[in-house]
Amino acid sequence: MGLHARPAAEFVRAVNESGLPVVIRKDGTADADARSLLQVMAADFQHGCEVRLEVDAGAVPEAHGAGDTDRILASLAALLESQGSVH
């Protein structure tokens, strides 16, 4: 089924706590703002689909370096995978 309400809410909460403007998408779809539960749920990520998490380098707050950003994205990806919803 993909991302259900509770795992999606946990993911969105983690994105918002990161302070990064993360987008999530799968091939053939538009970017969804990962800070928005509505956009994440509306994107309809099917169970087991592969998604891409990205942050526009120009939009990274000064408090975050490239290493921090990579670490946060890896942590968010691990959260999604641990929920068994997407890869």
Side-chain angles (χ1 to χ4, degrees), residues 15 18-25 31 34-35 52-61 64-65 68-70 72-73 76:
V15 170
S18 78
L20 294 175
V22 178
V23 295
I24 183 172
R25 77 176 127 137
D31 292 351
R35 299 170 294 182
R52 172 172 273 154
L53 301 176
E54 295 180 348
V55 177
D56 178 4
V60 174
H64 294 284
D68 285 341
T69 300
D70 290 343
I72 291 167
L73 288 175
L76 292 170

Side-chain angles (χ1 to χ4, degrees), residues 2-87:
L3 281 172
H4 293 284
R6 179 172 285 156
E10 289 177 32
F11 171 70
V12 169
R13 187 175 14 261
V15 170
N16 283 307
E17 289 174 357
S18 78
L20 294 175
V22 178
V23 295
I24 183 172
R25 77 176 127 137
K26 63 182 177 181
D27 285 343
T29 66
D31 292 351
D33 184 344
R35 299 170 294 182
S36 166
L37 181 58
L38 182 59
Q39 285 191 35
V40 171
M41 295 292 296
D44 192 31
F45 298 112
Q46 297 299 314
H47 179 75
C49 74
E50 186 172 313
V51 298
R52 172 172 273 154
L53 301 176
E54 295 180 348
V55 177
D56 178 4
V60 174
E62 288 185 26
H64 294 284
D68 285 341
T69 300
D70 290 343
R71 180 186 53 76
I72 291 167
L73 288 175
S75 173
L76 292 170
L79 175 61
L80 286 174
E81 288 182 3
S82 73
Q83 295 168 338
S85 299
V86 296
H87 299 283

